């Protein structure tokens, strides 16, 4: 626990979300106001901006515009998909980061991202400790996938879940109108954890949900799927299927694998599971549409959760508070308090507990049919989507943050 | 102009929209209160419900739930895609409708739909006139396509346009984050008229729109498209393309034709133009994603326009008012008043002027580049998306109308 004085650097990484800018806003506003912070920089394009010495000076920005970042989707300072090497094999990137930190007197480093980013953050933290350079490093989580360990839930999940729940309700109504049978398959993100797809369960609460929910946590088979679909269509004529892009057969192969490619982290990039299921439904002689929620589920700020925005903002704030109090090598997490009313506290968890582990839906929250979620899931997820944000509107459309983006001369 | 006394029948047809239920709500509430109306029926699944003698008795419904229809997407009483034959060739359907109208003493008939529905409505009206049976027939327009003649704009367009504008803004932000070039192609509905795709222009007003807009009104070529995209990517690294599913090459062939099939009206069902363009962009060596807004653009009640809801509700009301005043063979239209402030009046236009004609975007509203819209389009479309509706929420999610659906015994 070291109390340091110096500059701070924020960086955003991974896929953007509706609220990653809310976290950065919380961090920036807190840092600008903190007496231990002598300068506030944002790296352009995540860790790449650090390596390239490419920084924005936040002292030039208006506070009202930083506040407006709460309602501005995607990564305002750019993102990157760049994997730092294992420092034991090649430490050139780490040496460069240390050089930059020294040059700018960086004593606080905040990395805002998902699993891979927490891993990057952890590696940097460990390297700096080993080098004897004092810098407090804190990870600010974000991922719509909600699969980080060390936190009750992840900033970004509530807003994505809200968009998914609203969209599935609307798709349910749309599916219901014709006299002939119809199946609509809604393809939802989530490679290995089904949190996003499970959010379709929330659409059932007021009456218009998905009839069948297929998660990566359960083994998928076409045979059971077709039998499930047929039973629903026989009973009520139309059927809404919510399916994760990450469902797999018993042999471990992704159902959407035909269209797969691989990203720089070695993860399969999936797509097309909706169309694969559509082709199957057609073998039953039933009309089927496939709807892919696509990137809209991660950037639909017009349907954000006020709770998610507020918590994400506070995650950024607490990162700065904890770091300037002397914490390092931590990730900010949410801990749900007991009691009937939903409340959380902000905690600092070891980065290593979050990095590279994926939290899945507990088996006991999935019903025996394998196609539905229990009330425990609903109790968990429902508070996360609540509240309508007070967006800044102009001409009937959102007015996003207008930043000056003043670069520091290297 | 005949003042009649008797029952009224409402029917909904064609693809659903966010606000078609607002129109039916306006009509039902007005009719329940009208002294010339002796009973209020809704046909189940449009004209099919009339032919099958399948009606709901609306007198059993709570007024608050009928009001809640304003915020409930899709067609609450079902829809159908059934094309009435030309009565000169086969009048069996028309004779059946006449028989039902006589049996139930139907003196008012309201048909809520798009081009094809206005055609159906017109044919029924003409047949009843020829038969000497007194029934006042009024069409209530709805189509997100905004392509009906005889009205300034169509109920449903404003809400779809608002969803598209919001989504394109969000996609623009999402596209901007990575350091490497990226093109995102957003595929938007609209077979022959580009009104929906043009709504992506509204996303530019506050700064984050589509860079290139391809409408069915302009001839498409891959050569120009690739040159347009390259110029944008060279200038700003990322490029958002809004494209109508209905764009065609100079030879008249749809770009998305490979995946086409034909509906019962003989219209090609298009799809896949986004993927076709994505494949083209890849030949430039640039990463490209295709996002299809799909049915969400027609049912996204969570992003509806309050103006659209109110106008749609009033279109239903005026249909009843005009019919009970003695009008027949008409469609309710919106006439925009002159003056700086946006205002409309509700008019009754001959059904024949709306049936089967398609209104396209005026050539002078498309810029010389062929990929942008002028300020005249913005002035036209912007008022239509304004206003945030006061949806009924429960558990943080919409609570749609809960109807009793009491059937009349045939």
């Amino acid at each position: 626990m070291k109390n340091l004085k110096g500059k701070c650097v924020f960086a955003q990484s991974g896929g953007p979300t509706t609220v990653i800018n809310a976290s950065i806003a919380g961090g920036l506003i807190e840092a600008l106001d903190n007496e231990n912070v002598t300068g506030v920089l944002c790296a352009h394009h995540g860790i790449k901006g650090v390596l390239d010495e490419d920084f924005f000076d936040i002292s030039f920005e208006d506070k009202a515009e930083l506040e407006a970042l709460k309602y501005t989707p995607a990564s305002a300072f750019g993102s990157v998909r760049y994997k730092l090497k294992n420092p034991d094999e090649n430490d050139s990137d780490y040496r460069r980061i240390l050089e930059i930190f020294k040059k700018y007197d960086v004593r606080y480093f905040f990395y805002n991202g998902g699993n891979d980013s927490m891993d990057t953050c952890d590696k940097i933290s460990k390297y700096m400790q080993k080098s004897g350079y004092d810098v407090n490093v804190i990870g600010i989580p974000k991922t719509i996938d909600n699969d980080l360990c060390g936190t009750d839930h992840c900033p970004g999940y509530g807003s994505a879940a809200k968009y998914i729940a609203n969209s599935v309700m609307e798709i349910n109504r749309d599916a219901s109108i014709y006299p002939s049978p119809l199946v609509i398959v809604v393809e939802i993100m989530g490679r290995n954890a089904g949190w996003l797809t499970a959010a379709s369960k929330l659409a059932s609460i007021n009456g218009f949900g998905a009839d069948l929910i297929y998660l990566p946590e359960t083994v998928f088979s076409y045979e059971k799927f077709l039998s499930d679909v047929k039973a629903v269509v026989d009973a009520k004529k139309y059927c809404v299927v919510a399916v994760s892009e990450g469902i797999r057969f018993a042999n471990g192969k992704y159902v959407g694998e035909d269209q797969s490619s691989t990203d720089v982290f070695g993860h399969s990039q999936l797509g097309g599971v909706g169309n694969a299921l559509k082709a199957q439904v057609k073998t039953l002689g039933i009309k089927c549409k496939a709807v892919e929620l696509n990137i809209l589920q991660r950037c639909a700020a017009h349907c954000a959760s006020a709770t998610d925005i507020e918590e994400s903002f506070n995650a950024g704030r607490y990162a700065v508070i904890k770091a300037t109090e002397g914490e390092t090598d931590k990730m900010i997490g949410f801990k749900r308090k007991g009691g009937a009313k939903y409340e959380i506290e902000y905690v600092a968890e070891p980065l290593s507990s979050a990095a590279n582990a994926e939290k899945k839906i507990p088996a006991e929250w999935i019903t025996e049919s394998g196609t539905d979620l229990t009330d425990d899931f609903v109790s968990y997820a429902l508070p996360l989507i609540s509240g309508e944000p007070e967006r800044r509107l102009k001409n009937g459309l959102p007015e996003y943050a207008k930043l000056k983006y003043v670069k520091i001369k290297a």
Side-chain angles (χ1 to χ4, degrees), chain A:
Chain A
M1 294 277 285
K2 281 195 184 160
N3 287 91
L4 305 171
K5 204 171 175 105
K7 292 207 180 61
C8 74
V9 165
F10 289 84
Q12 299 181 303
S13 191
T17 78
T18 295
V19 298
I20 183 170
N21 287 331
S23 287
I24 213 89
L28 295 176
I29 289 169
E30 186 69 31
L32 285 169
D33 224 29
N34 193 293
E35 54 181 16
N36 292 316
V37 176
T38 58
V40 181
L41 314 185
C42 275
H44 194 191
H45 296 302
I47 198 65
K48 188 175 177 295
V50 179
L51 294 167
D52 293 351
E53 214 173 333
D54 186 6
F55 295 113
F56 299 106
D57 184 344
I58 303 306
S59 65
F60 290 94
E61 303 295 347
D62 294 335
K63 176 130 185 260
E65 297 307 318
L66 293 178
E67 285 274 358
L69 280 172
K70 287 168 84 168
Y71 312 105
T72 302
S75 310
F77 300 99
S79 184
V80 71
R81 290 201 185 273
Y82 177 82
K83 194 172 172 67
L84 290 184
K85 293 178 185 66
N86 184 335
D88 296 334
E89 287 164 19
N90 182 339
D91 69 351
S92 57
D93 283 344
Y94 300 87
R95 281 188 283 117
R96 172 68 178 157
I97 294 168
L98 177 58
E99 179 190 343
I100 298 292
F101 280 7
K102 284 180 176 169
K103 176 171 175 185
Y104 289 89
D105 189 29
V106 174
R107 297 295 172 180
Y108 299 107
F109 180 64
F110 303 101
Y111 211 47
N112 193 189
N115 308 63
D116 294 317
S117 307
M118 291 306 113
D119 178 49
T120 299
C121 196
D122 192 35
K123 282 183 181 142
I124 293 170
S125 174
K126 298 291 190 296
Y127 185 87
M128 296 299 152
Q129 284 175 12
K130 219 177 79 181
S131 309
Y133 180 79
D134 285 333
V135 55
N136 289 346
V137 176
I138 305 266
I140 309 169
K142 74 85 216 169
T143 171
I144 61 167
D145 290 334
N146 201 41
D147 59 354
L148 281 168
C149 296
T151 184
D152 176 78
H153 58 279
C154 299
Y157 176 62
S159 294
K162 184 170 187 163
Y163 178 80
I164 290 164
N166 270 279
S167 297
V168 168
M169 287 184 77
E170 291 160 356
I171 288 168
N172 176 303
R173 291 296 72 210
D174 198 284
S176 73
I177 66 163
Y178 289 117
S180 46
L182 177 67
V183 175
I184 300 187
V185 176
V186 187
E187 181 178 335
I188 299 171
M189 285 179 170
R191 199 182 286 117
N192 296 313
W195 297 104
L196 288 170
T197 305
S200 63
K201 171 66 179 175
L202 303 179
S204 304
I205 294 174
N206 296 352
F208 303 100
D211 300 291
L212 300 167
I213 301 173
Y214 296 95
L215 306 166
E217 282 84 354
T218 56
V219 170
F220 184 85
S221 88
Y222 280 140
E223 198 182 350
K224 178 170 183 302
F225 167 69
L226 290 175
S227 140
D228 291 344
V229 165
K230 198 172 174 311
V232 174
V233 170
D234 285 349
K236 57 177 277 206
K237 198 195 69 184
Y238 69 94
C239 175
V240 177
V241 177
V243 62
S244 166
E245 59 173 345
I247 55 166
R248 300 189 207 206
F249 299 115
N251 65 8
K253 275 186 77 169
Y254 287 110
V255 177
E257 206 163 43
D258 292 344
Q259 290 91 349
S260 72
S261 59
T262 304
D263 73 6
V264 295
F265 295 103
H267 307 314
S268 292
Q269 295 293 292
L270 302 175
V273 66
N275 285 323
L277 298 199
K278 178 177 164 179
Q280 288 294 317
V281 172
K282 285 189 166 180
T283 66
L284 295 175
I286 300 171
K287 191 176 173 182
C288 184
K289 293 180 187 179
V291 177
E292 190 185 350
L293 295 188
N294 215 311
I295 55 170
L296 288 164
Q297 67 202 287
R298 76 182 188 191
C299 64
H302 74 272
C303 192
S305 150
T307 300
D308 188 26
I309 290 176
E310 213 46 42
E311 290 178 351
S312 300
F313 184 81
N314 285 333
R317 281 189 57 229
Y318 277 94
V320 173
I321 292 169
K322 300 282 184 191
T324 52
E325 284 173 1
E327 291 270 17
T328 188
D329 208 33
K330 297 286 193 321
M331 179 191 84
I332 299 299
F334 301 153
K335 195 172 164 188
R336 195 180 295 231
K337 296 180 184 176
K341 194 169 164 272
Y342 170 77
E343 269 184 293
I344 60 160
E345 58 182 315
Y346 299 87
V347 293
E349 295 288 325
L351 265 173
S352 55
S353 71
N356 286 325
E358 282 178 320
K359 188 168 73 174
K360 303 200 175 180
I361 299 180
E364 62 271 23
W365 287 6
I366 301 168
T367 63
E368 213 174 321
S369 66
T371 58
D372 202 358
L373 281 296
T374 65
D375 289 347
D376 284 337
F377 169 77
V378 174
S379 304
Y380 166 81
L382 198 54
L384 313 182
I385 69 165
S386 77
E388 307 302 306
E390 306 252 321
R391 299 187 296 157
R392 187 164 73 173
L393 296 173
K394 190 179 161 186
N395 300 311
L397 288 166
E399 192 182 25
Y400 296 151
K402 284 188 284 249
L403 300 181
K404 298 198 185 95
Y405 290 115
V406 179
K407 284 268 176 89
I408 285 185
K409 285 196 187 80

